[in-house]
Amino acid sequence: MLALVPAETDRSERSGLPAPAPREDLLARIARGDQDAFAELYDQTSSRVHGLVQRLLVDHAQSEEVTQEVFLEIWQTAPRYAAERGSAITWILTMAHRRAVDRIRASEASRQRDMRIGVRDHVEGYDDVAEQVEIRIENVRVTRALARLSDAQREAVTLAYYGGLTQREVSDQLGIPLGTVKTRLRDGMIRLRDELGVAS
């Protein structure tokens, strides 16, 4: 398992060490699996990579994570680096920029998804709980109001409005004149409106 070494000060600043190797040469060596070359490239470039990523992401923890992803990608894709297409640092910083932008997009997509789920759950919660409670309360009020009607009024209202019968069908079923049905329904509905507090 490849171990990423912590960033250090420029090795050339420490006495007795040679000047840093060109980054292009380091990438060529990394492509052959040279971990020492990778450590040197990390020392030379990690602060710039992290700085770029930090400016884009702002979040410190995510910036560190993306920086590590960039260097893992460098280790894995070093054989694909082509010096004729640009300098090593340009290649590395382009990779870092792409990774940071991908993380921003993924975070935004996750945030949007969480928001959609939150809205959906909120609406479902309202439909499943608040609305059901409201319906039950209304049913209780109507049942109590019906109980205050006369037996004849309640029978006519129940058949017409809950049973779905026409006034003629109520008349036939109860064996009473149509005019009587109309009177019972009218008086019953007036009484229901009064009991429920509904303006006529």
Side-chain angles (χ1 to χ4, degrees), residues 17-199:
L17 290 178
R23 292 164 186 144
E24 290 73 16
D25 293 348
L26 292 173
L27 281 172
R29 289 166 54 196
I30 292 168
R32 296 191 296 271
D34 188 331
Q35 290 195 25
D36 290 334
F38 179 79
E40 186 170 345
L41 183 74
Y42 185 86
D43 287 347
Q44 287 187 30
T45 61
S46 61
S47 61
R48 288 186 67 181
V49 169
H50 185 265
L52 172 62
V53 172
Q54 177 82 38
R55 281 195 299 276
L56 292 168
L57 294 181
V58 181
D59 181 85
H60 182 70
Q62 285 200 53
S63 298
E64 287 187 342
E65 192 175 309
V66 170
T67 298
Q68 296 301 310
E69 290 174 1
V70 170
F71 280 95
L72 179 60
E73 186 175 356
I74 290 170
W75 175 259
Q76 293 171 337
T77 63
R80 285 188 257 169
Y81 168 68
E84 64 273 12
R85 295 183 185 173
S87 68
I89 193 62
T90 299
W91 184 71
I92 291 168
L93 293 179
T94 299
M95 188 183 300
H97 184 272
R98 187 185 71 247
R99 282 265 178 184
V101 169
D102 286 348
R103 178 63 63 95
I104 291 169
R105 288 176 179 156
S107 296
E108 179 64 18
S110 176
R111 189 183 69 79
Q112 293 287 346
R113 184 173 59 251
D114 290 346
M115 186 176 295
R116 286 194 300 272
I117 290 171
V119 169
R120 184 196 67 198
D121 289 348
H122 176 72
V123 170
E124 287 180 352
Y126 174 81
D127 289 344
D128 292 344
V129 179
E131 189 174 338
Q132 289 301 319
V133 169
E134 187 176 330
I135 289 170
R136 286 176 187 165
I137 290 171
E138 193 61 27
N139 284 341
V140 169
R141 290 182 65 218
V142 170
T143 301
R144 287 177 181 166
L146 280 170
R148 293 189 177 96
L149 301 181
S150 68
D151 290 342
Q153 290 170 344
R154 183 169 51 255
E155 186 176 41
V157 168
T158 300
L159 288 172
Y161 292 97
Y162 290 97
L165 302 182
T166 66
Q167 291 179 348
R168 172 62 65 187
E169 288 170 335
V170 172
S171 171
D172 292 342
Q173 181 153 334
L174 296 179
I176 58 176
L178 180 59
T180 303
V181 170
K182 290 181 179 181
T183 300
R184 289 179 183 178
L185 286 175
R186 185 193 68 228
D187 293 346
M189 292 308 296
I190 290 171
R191 182 76 183 272
L192 275 178
R193 282 198 296 266
D194 290 344
E195 293 291 340
L196 294 170
V198 178

